[in-house]
Amino acid sequence: FMKHGVEIFTPWSWQPGMWEVLHLFSRYNRSTSVRAVSDDETRVSAYATLDPHSGNTTIVLVNRELTASTATSVSLANLAIPDGIYATLQLANLPASETFVSHTSNAKAAGTVTVAGNQFSITLPALSITSVLLQKSPDGPPPAPGPSRLANVSVRAFSGAGDDVLIVGFYVDGIGSKELLLRGIGPMLAKYNVSSTMADPVMSLWSQSTGLITSNDDWGSNAAQITKASARLGAFALDPGTLDSALVANLSTGGYTAHIAGKAGGTGVALGEAYDGDLWGTARLVNVSARTWVGPGDNSLIAGFVVVGESSKTLLIRAVGPTLADPLYNVQGVLTNPVLRLYRLGDNAPLYQNDNWGTTSYSDEIAATAQLSGAFSLAPGTTDAVLLLTLPPGGYTAVVSSADNTTGVALVEVYEVQQ
């Protein structure tokens, strides 16, 4: 199902045990399929999945033997799993009647395996399915999957001077505080073949209610904390001595902006990133936005985001240009005709795209959703671009460029739609 994008499975009739099996796979498997090889596929199969965000891995072991249990050894290649005791959930010896009632009332039996040196052994009962839940922290219970949410948002664009400085906005909602790793990348982008990068970015973090919170010039001033946080959250490593900027902040509910400006008035392409330090905490990121000058090629405005969780997430994605010229916002030199394209991470062809939002068949729904999500309204007939989509877990990029090869200031927004 995962490999082929199946979202709804409706057989004509359910046999005893099918609910149990489907629940075991759908609740505890992760978002990314991982290659798994068995020495004897006719007897024992392995199906591995990984959450690239947290590193948590689930390995499903199926014993096809009709009457005999099977002693099985599993080697973990290219997975950083610490030694320790990990939880298992197993279906075996099911009766002829249906046993599944709910997540807490079912036939799954809990157990454990011990991982040592990236290996573990387990005896699989006849005709059984066993999920091995490899957490980033051993000796703990399996995490309860939370509702899907936004994580690891980023924006790449040309950052100029004055009103053209790259400003990344985000909103924290929920209860308590949210730990975020914030990075303003310039020099490191050259390593990824991006031209005209900002030589020395300075990042300042602002609260919409209280003003300037903190700032950072060179990330090396707090290298130990940034290196540890980057490794834990899956952010690419920063080379020692580079002039990129980064900081870790604990933020309460509210709106914030990260300004990424060149030192001494410098300009260039920069990347602003916000990594969620506690994905399943009570506080969460609910939207991200960025406003800057948009040009051709590497100067396009690119917003990246990751949807994590066990289900799809509805998002409102907007590329706003003409509406910014309204006297209410009074932005000069706007991008007059933005086009918005959404890509799945790693794909070259867009999944969806929009030029003028008012021409879509569901423009009324877009307007209603914007109001419910707290987004400012777009006047009918404007050439701003909007997508309203329900996306499965994974990484995506929203690219804003000009439909008529002009340049100007644009705003990209990604809103989490509450349902």
Side-chain angles (χ1 to χ4, degrees), residues 339-343 350-354 387 397-402:
V339 60
L340 173 64
R341 296 181 176 89
L342 182 74
Y343 297 79
L351 285 173
Y352 305 96
Q353 64 183 41
N354 177 255
L387 292 170
T397 54
V399 180
V400 180
S401 56
S402 172

Side-chain angles (χ1 to χ4, degrees), residues 239-259:
D239 290 343
T242 65
L243 301 181
D244 305 286
S245 56
L247 56 89
V248 175
N250 281 284
L251 303 176
S252 57
T253 299
Y256 301 88
T257 56
H259 299 222

Side-chain angles (χ1 to χ4, degrees), residues 16 27 68 75 83 97 130 141 152 163 169 177 179 189 200 224 231 257 288 295 322 346 361 364 372 395 415:
R27 184 172 178 88
S75 297
D83 290 353
S97 58
T130 305
N152 289 22
D163 289 341
S177 62
E179 179 189 280
L189 292 180
D200 190 357
T257 56
V288 62
S361 60
D364 289 346
L372 290 173
Y415 288 87

Side-chain angles (χ1 to χ4, degrees), residues 177-360:
S177 62
K178 168 61 61 181
E179 179 189 280
L180 293 174
L181 168 65
L182 303 172
R183 309 201 307 180
I185 308 297
M188 278 294 296
L189 292 180
K191 195 172 183 177
Y192 299 94
N193 298 318
V194 178
S195 58
S196 303
T197 59
M198 179 172 283
D200 190 357
V202 178
M203 181 171 61
S204 55
L205 176 63
W206 297 72
S207 165
Q208 292 180 2
S209 58
T210 61
L212 180 64
I213 299 173
T214 186
S215 64
N216 176 260
D217 184 358
D218 301 330
W219 77 277
S221 60
N222 195 13
Q225 183 188 33
I226 300 303
T227 299
K228 183 178 179 180
S230 297
R232 179 172 65 88
L233 301 177
F236 64 84
L238 301 179
D239 290 343
T242 65
L243 301 181
D244 305 286
S245 56
L247 56 89
V248 175
N250 281 284
L251 303 176
S252 57
T253 299
Y256 301 88
T257 56
H259 299 222
I260 303 172
K263 193 171 184 178
T267 62
V269 177
L271 174 69
E273 301 176 305
Y275 289 85
D276 192 329
D278 178 20
L279 275 178
W280 305 117
T282 53
R284 69 186 193 279
L285 287 170
V286 294
N287 68 53
V288 62
S289 64
R291 196 197 81 181
T292 192
W293 179 85
V294 178
D298 283 344
N299 294 325
S300 296
L301 176 54
I302 303 173
F305 58 91
V306 177
V307 175
V308 297
E310 303 297 325
S311 59
S312 296
K313 188 69 188 175
T314 301
L315 300 173
L316 176 69
I317 308 170
R318 311 200 305 179
V320 182
T323 296
L324 296 180
D326 186 283
L328 182 63
Y329 309 109
N330 196 31
V331 177
Q332 304 299 312
V334 301
L335 190 67
T336 56
N337 192 6
V339 60
L340 173 64
R341 296 181 176 89
L342 182 74
Y343 297 79
R344 194 188 306 274
L345 197 63
D347 287 356
N348 293 321
L351 285 173
Y352 305 96
Q353 64 183 41
N354 177 255
D355 187 359
N356 302 324
W357 79 278
T359 62
T360 63

Side-chain angles (χ1 to χ4, degrees), residues 28 61-62 119 124 158 201 213 226 253 273 304 319 331 388 397 414:
Y28 296 100
L61 300 170
V62 179
Q119 294 183 328
L124 305 174
F158 181 88
I213 299 173
I226 300 303
T253 299
E273 301 176 305
V331 177
L388 178 60
T397 54
V414 180

